[in-house]
Amino acid sequence: MSTAATDVAAHDHHDDHGPAKGLTRWLFTTNHKDIGTLYLLFSLVMFFVGGSMAMVIRFELFQPGLQFVHPEFFNQMTTMHALIMIFGAVMPAFVGLANWMIPLMIGAPDMALPRMNNWSFWILPVAFGMLLSTLIMPGGAPAGGWTMYPPLVLQTGDSFPFLIFSVHLMGLSSIMGAINVIVTIINMRTEEMTLLKMPMFVWTWLITAYLLIAVMPVLAGAVTMLLTDQFFGTSFFRAAGGGDPVMFQHIFWFFGHPEVYIMILPAFGVVSEIIPTFARKPLFGHDSMVYAASSIAFLSFIVWAHHMFTVGMPLTGQLFFMFATMLIAVPTGVKVFNWTATMWRGSMTFETPMLFSLAFLFLFTIGGFSGLMLGIVPADIQYHDSYFVVAHFHYVLVPGAIFGIMAAVYYWLPKWTGVMYDEKLGQWHFWLSTIFVNVTFFPMHFLGLAGMPRRIPDYPTQFADFNTIASIGAVGFGLSQLLFAYLIIKCARGDGEKATAAVWDDPKGLEWTVPSPAPYHTFDEPPHVTKHDSFD
């Protein structure tokens, strides 16, 4: 090579080392750590936006009678709260964790498709800006529930096409993120890392990414049919033109049930990283955990109509979906058993990530049990559309998905920022969150069993006491999250004790072999996977 060519190559090599300065760094970045940070910050903002909508709901339900908002606005709040929490808070947080951690865990220098990675993030602020703008449109925001069931959702005002377009954009972002995760994991693992040596977080994300690619186009098709029913004279779901509104439910839940596992499988991966670290033992049955996660993903495609036992499906259909629902509890039970067995006779310590993982284990299991109750047809006919369902899915999504995200943040924050979070404040955040999440959602089981329907702004006085308790719990839970935001900001500013490369006491995995904070570019050379870093 000529001297000039060598100089050019050296210049190119050195030019790429640090991040750009100022706003352009974040707008044009293709670095997986920067994009992961953007996803996580966006998710945190949406968590508080969606949470403020939950506050409106719980303030209104604090006592019987109409208190603060009109029933129409109450319905807008329930719809927007769900859409923002699911598509704006939980899913982007897990994509952010994937962006940050998967390359570090598999020894890859970056994600496989960095420009697409940038695009998949920047679609999200546009999508949610569009969704939130519906609050100030004539007729208000969508008020037909996050499930967007016709014919109710077709009565939405001017905001209807904006709802559909924003859902399309969210789906597009998810599909691009999923493609990137799959290509990165399959093609960019360091040579010595075979599939079964991969950490569980990487495995659960690989499975989640395939689920996303399979089901997001189904949602896109369903909402496009809604759009053509509304504006182009089709009758997919309009009964007056020979359409069937129940068909929408089938299509929606074919997306919606795998979506539930899209939101919980990465949390399973997080907990499978944290419990072995703080039990100081290898994960019990790593391979069986991989097979269990794969089984859950497969079975999630054949249980969708357990959300629809009251639509009048034939007895054969009810029996099939009931038994399939019971079957999916088996691989989930395998996971719970394996986490428990990992802790058995381990040298456990209870730092904040471990506390959130333990709360996840106990409270997610409660959500799983109430899910089994809902899967039994004669019982579900009583529970359907009651507050029991609200209690069930919040036990799965708050102490399940959101506690999983919080555990991950505490676990990896020192690796991201280079400083340790304040352990005492972290423990305060944990105990306040855990107490208030139960005060909020446990009474809802009793409200549902007593017959209180969901999505109502007012209720008879016999439901007053438990609603008051739930509302107090919700305010306490919401305020506790300010502590979480404070802890993150404190670490991001570098205010705290400096973290070592390993951070915790002898953790497994390649991410703990790089310095803390992780350098802007990692693994110029493929790392060597030692026995210690292997999950085999």
Side-chain angles (χ1 to χ4, degrees):
M1 188 187 285
S2 70
T3 310
T6 310
D7 289 345
V8 169
H11 176 74
D12 286 349
H13 180 74
H14 289 297
D15 207 33
D16 204 23
H17 266 299
K21 297 288 183 279
L23 189 61
T24 53
R25 168 180 176 179
W26 301 102
L27 281 174
F28 304 119
T29 182
T30 53
N31 182 280
H32 73 98
K33 300 179 183 77
D34 280 355
I35 294 169
T37 302
L38 285 169
Y39 268 111
L40 289 164
L41 288 174
F42 177 80
S43 157
L44 188 65
V45 170
M46 288 295 113
F47 181 53
F48 281 104
V49 171
S52 63
M53 293 173 176
M55 291 299 104
V56 173
I57 294 165
R58 287 316 319 174
F59 277 136
E60 183 56 56
L61 295 173
F62 182 67
Q63 287 181 312
L66 295 176
Q67 317 289 323
F68 301 106
V69 296
H70 291 292
E72 298 81 13
F73 187 71
F74 182 89
N75 289 343
Q76 292 172 31
M77 286 292 98
T78 56
T79 303
M80 294 287 278
H81 163 71
L83 287 169
I84 285 166
M85 283 304 204
I86 290 169
F87 295 110
V90 174
M91 288 173 68
F94 281 130
V95 178
L97 292 172
N99 262 294
W100 242 107
M101 298 315 303
I102 286 174
L104 290 179
M105 290 174 138
I106 63 173
D110 206 313
M111 296 294 278
L113 305 163
R115 289 184 192 278
M116 192 168 86
N117 208 8
N118 174 286
W119 192 29
S120 69
F121 170 74
W122 282 109
I123 286 172
L124 283 180
V126 176
F128 284 91
M130 190 181 297
L131 184 63
L132 287 166
S133 72
T134 61
L135 286 162
I136 55 171
M137 290 180 184
W146 81 277
T147 51
M148 298 174 280
Y149 280 180
L152 181 60
V153 78
L154 297 175
Q155 296 165 27
T156 306
D158 292 357
S159 64
F160 181 75
F162 294 89
L163 164 70
I164 302 302
F165 191 31
S166 65
V167 169
H168 270 298
L169 289 175
M170 295 169 205
L172 186 63
S173 170
S174 294
I175 290 169
M176 291 199 299
I179 290 169
N180 214 344
V181 165
I182 291 170
V183 177
T184 303
I185 294 171
I186 298 299
N187 289 341
M188 296 186 66
R189 304 191 309 281
T190 186
E191 203 172 319
E192 297 166 3
M193 187 168 283
T194 59
L195 283 173
L196 283 175
K197 284 184 180 175
M198 294 195 314
M200 272 310 298
F201 180 72
V202 179
W203 257 113
T204 53
W205 240 112
L206 180 64
I207 294 162
T208 300
Y210 279 112
L211 283 179
L212 277 165
I213 290 172
V215 301
M216 277 301 173
V218 177
L219 177 66
V223 297
T224 304
M225 287 189 272
L226 282 176
L227 194 74
T228 60
D229 273 11
Q230 183 77 320
F231 295 111
F232 299 103
T234 59
S235 290
F236 291 110
F237 312 125
R238 284 187 188 275
D244 183 3
V246 173
M247 182 171 78
F248 178 85
Q249 297 189 28
H250 279 288
I251 300 168
F252 179 87
W253 285 115
F254 190 79
F255 146 80
H257 200 82
E259 168 67 15
V260 173
Y261 289 100
I262 286 164
M263 290 191 284
I264 203 67
L265 279 170
F268 287 175
V270 167
V271 170
S272 302
E273 301 298 323
I274 292 173
I275 288 178
T277 297
F278 294 100
R280 290 163 184 80
K281 279 178 63 189
L283 180 67
F284 182 89
H286 175 275
D287 293 6
S288 67
M289 292 286 258
V290 171
Y291 300 135
S294 307
S295 306
I296 288 169
F298 171 73
L299 292 170
S300 73
F301 284 102
I302 59 168
V303 296
W304 78 89
H306 69 202
H307 298 267
M308 301 168 51
F309 283 146
T310 58
V311 301
M313 73 173 75
L315 180 62
T316 319
Q318 291 182 337
L319 285 171
F320 171 81
F321 287 108
M322 179 168 79
F323 292 137
T325 303
M326 290 179 176
L327 188 60
I328 209 168
V330 175
T332 311
V334 167
K335 287 191 164 296
V336 172
F337 172 81
N338 284 16
W339 290 321
T340 310
T342 303
M343 292 185 286
W344 175 249
R345 304 185 74 175
S347 300
M348 288 209 291
T349 51
F350 299 98
E351 288 87 348
T352 310
M354 183 62 160
L355 289 173
F356 272 105
S357 299
L358 288 172
F360 169 95
L361 189 55
F362 281 101
L363 301 178
F364 172 77
T365 303
I366 290 174
F369 276 131
S370 58
L372 273 177
M373 293 168 70
L374 288 161
I376 297 165
V377 177
D380 182 72
I381 289 166
Q382 291 294 312
Y383 304 142
H384 190 78
D385 266 345
S386 77
Y387 254 76
F388 191 86
V389 179
V390 179
H392 155 67
F393 72 68
H394 280 89
Y395 261 88
V396 171
L397 288 182
V398 184
I402 290 174
F403 274 24
I405 292 162
M406 288 173 177
V409 169
Y410 282 112
Y411 187 54
W412 285 313
L413 193 60
K415 179 57 63 184
W416 302 338
T417 62
V419 296
M420 289 300 292
Y421 62 87
D422 186 323
E423 183 63 45
K424 184 176 273 189
L425 284 182
Q427 302 226 359
W428 268 101
H429 173 231
F430 165 75
W431 285 110
L432 288 170
S433 296
T434 303
I435 290 164
F436 283 124
V437 87
N438 285 292
V439 172
T440 306
F441 299 117
F442 207 79
M444 293 182 186
H445 292 102
F446 303 123
L447 287 168
L449 293 171
M452 179 173 165
R454 61 182 181 159
R455 296 182 187 167
I456 55 169
D458 190 14
Y459 52 84
T461 51
Q462 70 258 35
F463 300 136
D465 293 348
F466 280 138
N467 267 301
T468 301
I469 293 167
S471 290
I472 292 167
V475 172
F477 183 77
L479 292 174
S480 306
Q481 304 324 307
L482 296 173
L483 201 54
F484 184 49
Y486 170 72
L487 275 158
I488 292 169
I489 292 164
K490 196 169 171 227
C491 278
R493 291 173 58 185
D495 185 5
E497 184 189 328
K498 292 284 176 275
T500 61
V503 181
W504 309 108
D505 181 17
D506 202 29
K508 287 184 84 166
L510 290 174
E511 74 266 38
W512 308 111
T513 62
V514 301
S516 300
Y520 194 66
H521 293 286
T522 37
F523 302 130
D524 288 333
E525 299 290 325
H528 180 61
V529 180
T530 65
K531 186 71 179 162
H532 183 269
D533 298 318
S534 164
F535 290 80
D536 200 359

